[in-house]
Amino acid sequence: MAFELPKLAYAYDALEPHIDARTMEIHHSKHHQGYTNNLNNAIAGTDSEGKSIEDILASLDMSNGAVRNNGGGFYNHRLFWEVMSPNAGGEPTGELAAAINDAFGSFDAFKDAFSKAAATQFGSGWAWLCVHKGGKVSVCSTPNQDNPLMSGVDCDGQPVLGLDVWEHAYYLNYQNRRPDYINAFFNVINWAKVSENYASNK
Ligand code: MN3
């Protein structure tokens, strides 16, 4: 069964004013749809057909550019939509909050580390909050559509929160002001979902 573009749990304009409706519509219906279609084409007739995206990425031959870019793109955007929500933001609670405090000292220090990873990723890429077996968390970034599930990237663990810093994610509204977009993202982080991701992968 081929991969399908996941439906959003909210309307394209639901994240305004932090992320504008036109950006959301193009990002989801064009970019993510493109990765999805290209992934399906790239794995058609191969051993990867029928496997989960997690299994495909974990055992990926990194020289396979079509699956690396489009499988990464499919997985990364699916996580991205899920970790955002209207009327969200604030701070995590419970065991995720405790893990963040253990690793960074405070939520504000985590926010600084994550924002810096996102702001300093040269060119296109992603910033991640990852959980490791045992519950420790860490922040890192990857270029292009790479992600921590792939082997050989300078970033490991299970991603529980991801931020797309490709220009297509923010340029219409923020132009070159990536730091403003990163700051705005914190107003739409769905910490309940991130906590769920943490709990199921720690
Ligand atoms: Mn994108």
Side-chain angles (χ1 to χ4, degrees):
M1 165 131 172
F3 290 104
E4 288 178 15
L5 180 69
K7 288 193 170 34
L8 298 187
Y10 42 82
Y12 286 136
D13 64 0
L15 304 180
E16 292 202 349
H18 310 295
I19 301 182
D20 65 283
R22 184 79 176 128
T23 295
M24 285 297 297
E25 181 178 1
I26 296 170
H27 202 174
H28 178 256
S29 71
K30 306 294 185 197
H31 291 275
H32 199 185
Q33 183 73 67
Y35 294 121
T36 306
N37 295 346
N38 291 336
L39 171 62
N40 286 327
N41 291 336
I43 63 172
T46 75
D47 290 348
S48 293
E49 212 171 10
K51 287 186 180 168
S52 72
I53 189 62
E54 291 83 357
D55 286 348
I56 291 172
L57 297 180
S59 60
L60 179 65
D61 170 2
M62 293 292 274
S63 69
N64 185 339
V67 178
R68 179 179 180 176
N69 292 331
N70 295 295
F74 175 80
Y75 174 91
N76 297 349
H77 289 85
R78 189 183 64 180
L79 177 67
F80 185 49
W81 312 135
E82 287 177 355
V83 297
M84 295 191 290
S85 172
N87 308 313
E91 297 184 15
T93 56
E95 59 181 6
L96 175 59
I100 285 174
N101 286 335
D102 280 349
F104 300 97
S106 67
F107 178 77
D108 284 346
F110 154 72
K111 185 178 176 185
D112 286 349
F114 186 88
S115 298
K116 188 178 175 199
T120 59
Q121 172 57 50
F122 182 77
S124 299
W126 290 75
W128 306 102
L129 174 66
C130 295
V131 63
H132 306 263
K133 287 295 166 203
K136 195 176 179 327
V137 293
S138 63
V139 157
C140 61
S141 67
T142 52
N144 303 313
Q145 296 296 352
D146 286 356
N147 71 42
L149 298 180
M150 298 173 180
S151 60
V153 300
D154 187 22
C155 194
D156 63 357
Q158 174 71 37
V160 296
L161 171 69
L163 172 59
D164 188 343
V165 295
W166 284 57
E167 283 187 344
H168 69 225
Y170 63 88
Y171 205 84
L172 288 181
N173 196 37
Y174 294 97
Q175 293 80 50
N176 60 318
R177 303 187 309 278
R178 188 191 286 187
D180 291 354
Y181 160 69
I182 295 167
N183 214 38
F185 174 66
F186 276 84
N187 294 311
V188 295
I189 296 178
N190 179 357
W191 285 112
K193 178 61 183 172
V194 180
S195 293
E196 208 180 288
N197 294 343
Y198 175 82
S200 53
N201 290 288
K202 67 176 179 170

